[in-house]
Amino acid sequence: MTGTLISTPLTAADRCDRCGAAAKVRVTLPSGGELLFCRHHGNEHETRLREIEATIDAQPVDA
């Protein structure tokens, strides 16, 4: 049986794991763990997250 990863949209209740601001970025680690970041911390850690082949799902920037 194959599985499908379904990511639920971030809500106002989702908070950044670093600073507590509204989460705008969901990161799924290769181990299966999940991190939530505000845009600032998502950008700060993006290079390293890509190096470890994490899946990065960012909400579009508000217009």
Side-chain angles (χ1 to χ4, degrees):
M1 173 187 267
T2 59
T4 302
L5 178 64
I6 299 173
S7 181
T8 58
L10 294 171
T11 68
D14 293 314
R15 310 312 286 179
C16 176
D17 290 327
R18 293 285 294 160
C19 69
K24 300 293 183 184
V25 180
R26 180 190 318 269
V27 176
T28 305
L29 302 171
S31 63
E34 182 178 89
L35 298 169
L36 299 178
F37 290 121
C38 63
R39 192 152 324 276
H40 167 79
H41 284 111
N43 289 339
E44 180 179 334
H45 298 291
E46 180 178 11
T47 300
R48 180 65 181 133
L49 292 167
R50 291 197 186 281
E51 286 174 2
I52 65 169
E53 299 181 356
T55 301
I56 302 171
D57 181 22
Q59 287 186 338
V61 176
D62 297 333

